[in-house]
Amino acid sequence: MNQGQAGHANFLLPLLRPGMRVLAVGCVLPGHRGDIGLTTSLSTATHPLHVVGLDTDVEGLRQARRASELAAVSTIDFAASDPTALAVRSESVDVVYAHGLLDRVREPRRVLAEFARVLRPGGLLALSTPDWSRTRVKPRTANVDAALRGWTMLRRREGGDPAAGKHVEDWVRFAGFRDIRSRARFHAGTDYRQLARTIESELAEALSDSGDYMDPQLASAARSAWMWVRGGQGEVSQCWVETVAVR
């Protein structure tokens, strides 16, 4: 649901130094296979810098690797790895960066504990985490509200938390990090009607997968999303919580 991904890493770029090894965990975002803009912005921030993009989406990683080859970016590698069990040695990296990951995983605290394991002492954690409860959608009609409520319920049933940004600072502190700095930033760029189409599609897919049972809440939300798609234009300003902490 996000456009202009590269700009989301801007808060981290001034903290990068030559020679650092950076992990970009969850580098393949849903709906953005082959888009390596965000990972490239890390790898080109300073020189030399080695960035490794990790994800569980093998096909997405293949497309990202091909895109980096076409762009002649030689400072990025990609590898398949689960965020709860990173295929990385303990205390071996300088920076762990994750954009739009903690809202999509079932066990964010376990993921953060794994980040702490692979970071060297004094290493940096940088997170960009959405908080959909604070996202601004205009106009916010009754159909928009109903569709967003249904989509949020669906995401939580699937094990994620669309409002993860609201809790991320507490999770990071629980994982043992220090010098935690966190702030909310609003990013424009998500298309109003495209957001509606994405929500409509995800709700419709969930209803289709449910077989004979038709969840009335999801069905009502899907109808509201259908109406939203066919409404007028609007604006979306998505809330992202940017967090930096020290291992």
Side-chain angles (χ1 to χ4, degrees):
M1 293 184 185
N2 312 298
Q3 299 173 358
Q5 299 296 338
H8 285 271
N10 286 348
F11 73 104
L12 171 60
L13 302 187
L15 304 178
L16 299 177
R17 299 291 179 266
M20 281 182 163
R21 187 180 185 214
V22 181
L23 292 186
V25 185
C27 62
V28 180
L29 294 172
H32 293 270
R33 280 180 169 180
D35 180 357
I36 61 167
L38 193 154
T39 314
T40 300
S41 70
L42 296 176
S43 68
T44 58
T46 186
H47 184 79
L49 192 73
H50 185 204
V51 177
V52 179
L54 301 177
D55 206 282
T56 57
D57 185 342
V58 175
E59 174 58 23
L61 289 170
R62 187 193 67 78
Q63 294 182 24
R65 188 177 295 111
R66 178 58 177 158
S68 69
E69 292 170 354
L70 292 174
V73 181
S74 61
T75 54
I76 305 176
D77 290 326
F78 294 95
S81 186
D82 190 307
T84 62
L86 297 173
V88 179
R89 295 194 318 275
S90 298
E91 299 186 1
S92 63
V93 299
D94 301 292
V95 180
V96 172
Y97 173 66
H99 169 74
L101 174 70
L102 295 185
D103 62 302
R104 295 186 279 132
V105 296
R106 291 183 178 274
E107 301 177 277
R109 292 189 178 189
R110 184 178 172 188
V111 170
L112 289 168
E114 187 68 354
F115 290 175
R117 179 187 69 80
V118 303
L119 277 168
R120 63 169 180 77
L124 289 177
L125 173 71
L127 306 169
S128 181
T129 310
D131 179 0
W132 278 92
S133 70
R134 285 191 278 177
T135 290
R136 300 163 181 166
V137 182
K138 298 180 181 179
R140 187 121 184 179
T141 67
N143 282 321
V144 171
D145 273 335
L148 286 171
R149 280 197 305 271
W151 175 76
T152 297
M153 181 179 67
L154 174 63
R155 290 281 307 279
R156 286 178 173 152
R157 286 183 183 178
E158 293 174 342
D161 183 358
K166 185 183 298 184
H167 313 294
V168 67
E169 188 171 342
D170 289 337
W171 294 341
V172 169
R173 186 173 293 106
F174 183 85
F177 288 89
R178 58 184 173 85
D179 298 339
I180 303 169
R181 291 169 287 157
S182 191
R183 69 174 180 181
R185 184 188 297 274
F186 288 85
H187 288 267
T190 299
D191 181 81
Y192 183 80
R193 294 180 73 178
Q194 183 56 50
L195 173 60
R197 292 187 191 98
T198 301
I199 289 175
E200 179 191 25
S201 174
E202 292 185 10
L203 289 169
E205 182 178 356
L207 288 168
S208 176
D209 291 343
S210 64
D212 293 334
Y213 173 69
M214 181 69 70
D215 186 305
Q217 289 178 288
L218 291 186
S220 177
R223 287 192 295 271
S224 293
W226 187 90
M227 294 295 293
W228 178 5
V229 169
R230 286 146 187 84
Q233 295 294 335
E235 299 176 358
V236 179
S237 186
Q238 190 175 355
C239 179
W240 289 86
V241 178
E242 298 171 347
T243 306
V244 177
V246 178
R247 166 71 169 87

